Amino acid sequence: MTLERWRRLSEWPMIGAAVVFLVAYSVQVIANLPEREGIWADVLVFASWGVFIVDYFVQLALAPNRGRWFVRNLHELAILALPALRPLRLLRLVTFLRVVQSRAGDALRGRLLLYVFGAAGMIVYCGALAVEDVEQNDPSSNIRSFGDAIWWALETITTVGYGDHYPVTFVGRCVAAVLMIAGIAVLGVVTASIAAWLVENITMETVAEVEAEMEAEVEAVDETLEAKVEALTRQVTRLTAALEEQRGLGRQGRTE
């Protein structure tokens, strides 16, 4: 067993654990269930958390250079170890996007905008959940419902930022920073995609126009050559006839 093989084998199980975590976490946050009523959701959250822990330590054990892998994945350890960073476990769903990209291949390039907007929608939803979780019970917070959280997430990822809602907790501000960066990335990808599409269309139209002009010029040259060949043929025919006539007259004169 190698690290790469483990990652390939654990891709879908980890996606499943992330989806279970997302569903249970969504119910906990949006419904704001009392402790007794939300036991089942807690069980699912802790079960998925246990899967994440197993995956972390297996990868650490299989890493060729454990020290380097540990340093590069300190954020994973922090997310697993610190309860305050629990909302950031939703970043596990990014694995799903990576799997989709690797499976889709060239087809993904033709649906880039759909892929980007799908990723942006997931980030908005997860960001709204995360910020509502840490903000809804804070006395100084102005994000009290999931509707407020969704509106704030849309404002943030689109870099609008009206200022009517904003996080006041540390984790909430971390989520806001991630959304801001994601918003810039999404706008950049969309702009680049539209620019590439325009350049491609303009290039195709230009190539088509050049080819049409070249075909017209070739046809004109062919017609000119054909006309010249026909004229030369007629002239050769006349000269041949005249030459034959002269030869006939010469033979007739010698005979007389």
Side-chain angles (χ1 to χ4, degrees):
M1 179 64 69
T2 63
L3 180 60
E4 291 301 322
R5 179 173 172 78
W6 170 259
R7 285 176 175 173
R8 288 195 300 270
L9 293 175
S10 62
E11 275 180 346
W12 289 106
M14 294 304 300
I15 291 172
V19 170
V20 170
F21 178 83
L22 176 63
V23 172
Y25 183 57
S26 297
V27 173
Q28 279 186 328
V29 173
I30 297 175
N32 200 14
L33 296 176
E35 186 174 351
R36 292 182 179 179
E37 296 180 9
I39 293 178
W40 64 272
D42 288 334
V43 171
L44 292 178
V45 167
F46 282 108
S48 59
W49 180 61
V51 173
F52 298 153
I53 291 178
V54 171
D55 176 67
Y56 175 84
F57 283 105
V58 170
Q59 290 195 55
L60 178 60
L62 295 176
N65 190 327
R66 295 178 183 175
R68 180 181 299 176
W69 189 93
F70 177 81
V71 172
R72 290 183 176 180
N73 292 272
L74 284 175
H75 62 285
E76 292 279 353
L77 180 61
I79 291 172
L80 292 173
L82 301 177
L85 298 182
R86 183 180 65 169
L88 298 182
R89 293 175 199 161
L90 293 171
L91 294 176
R92 281 286 184 175
L93 289 173
V94 175
T95 306
F96 176 71
L97 299 179
R98 182 170 58 84
V99 173
V100 170
Q101 184 178 14
S102 62
R103 297 290 188 271
D106 293 337
L108 182 61
R109 297 190 182 100
R111 297 177 293 173
L112 181 60
L113 291 180
L114 180 62
Y115 171 77
V116 169
F117 285 122
M122 186 191 72
I123 294 173
V124 166
Y125 180 78
C126 294
L129 276 180
V131 82
E132 184 184 4
D133 183 26
V134 297
E135 296 282 327
Q136 63 182 345
N137 296 318
D138 191 292
S140 60
S141 174
N142 54 75
I143 301 176
R144 295 292 184 177
S145 66
F146 188 66
D148 291 341
I150 285 288
W151 175 246
W152 167 83
L154 289 172
E155 289 179 349
T156 304
I157 199 170
T158 55
T159 66
V160 174
Y162 285 122
D164 51 348
H165 295 289
Y166 52 88
V168 296
T169 63
F170 173 74
V171 176
R173 290 173 179 174
C174 290
V175 174
V178 172
L179 280 177
M180 292 174 192
I181 296 172
I184 294 172
V186 167
L187 290 176
V189 171
V190 171
T191 303
S193 301
I194 294 175
W197 177 75
L198 290 174
V199 170
E200 183 179 357
N201 284 343
I202 293 173
T203 302
M204 292 176 63
E205 291 177 359
T206 303
V207 170
E209 291 176 358
V210 171
E211 290 178 350
E213 292 177 359
M214 291 180 64
E215 289 178 358
E217 291 177 359
V218 169
E219 291 178 358
V221 170
D222 290 342
E223 292 176 357
T224 303
L225 289 175
E226 289 178 0
K228 290 182 178 179
V229 169
E230 290 178 359
L232 289 173
T233 302
R234 289 193 298 269
Q235 187 174 1
V236 169
T237 302
R238 287 196 301 270
L239 291 173
T240 302
L243 183 60
E244 291 294 331
E245 184 179 356
Q246 290 295 330
R247 288 178 180 177
L249 294 174
R251 286 195 297 269
Q252 183 178 1
R254 286 194 297 271
T255 304
E256 292 177 353

